Amino acid sequence: MHFSRGTLTIAALAGAASLALAPTATAATTYQISVVPPLGTVYANNLVTLGALVTPTPTGTDGSTPVELEITEPDGDVNTRTIPLTLGAGTAAIRTHEAGRYTAVFTYAPPNGTPAETTTQFDAVASPGLGLGS
């Protein structure tokens, strides 16, 4: 059997294309969450911004998976927020209702990767008075 050079080239290109377009079996990515804590003094009854950075940067369906944020207030009340990610990073604004220690648990559970979780704490101090009258 004799094949021309053109036929062999077409067969090689077709094989390469089918390999390039075939789904690849890859191991699940192991993600980590880094927390961006509130900056400066945190006062009670104010808004505070918390940030999350997921590395490596999630892609595909992992990239559209948000980070779940669970905040425990000093009195034990628990609030949850969802932080959508853009290029692996996102922020959430929360209101501190009282002075004391807050605990924030960040959880990232992508469909194709290993879930990640990290915890941070910060303190809120009583808001200063306005100094009006006595």
Side-chain angles (χ1 to χ4, degrees):
M1 218 172 174
H2 185 275
F3 293 104
S4 70
R5 194 177 332 184
T7 303
L8 290 175
T9 302
I10 290 172
L13 289 174
S18 66
L19 286 176
L21 297 175
T24 57
T26 59
T29 302
T30 301
Y31 293 102
Q32 293 181 345
I33 301 174
S34 298
V35 175
V36 180
L39 301 175
T41 303
V42 175
Y43 291 105
N45 297 317
N46 281 329
L47 286 177
V48 174
T49 301
L50 295 172
L53 174 65
V54 177
T55 55
T57 302
T59 59
T61 55
D62 288 359
S64 62
T65 302
V67 170
E68 298 297 323
L69 171 60
E70 182 180 276
I71 304 229
T72 303
E73 297 179 2
D75 65 2
D77 287 348
V78 177
N79 298 299
T80 58
R81 301 279 188 280
T82 300
I83 303 175
L85 298 177
T86 302
L87 298 175
T91 60
I94 63 157
R95 179 165 296 282
T96 55
H97 295 285
E98 58 195 295
R101 176 148 297 178
Y102 287 76
T103 302
V105 179
F106 295 79
T107 305
Y108 181 66
N112 300 311
T114 304
E117 182 177 290
T118 192
T119 302
T120 190
Q121 294 182 327
F122 62 93
D123 294 319
V125 298
S127 295
L130 296 176
L132 301 175
S134 38

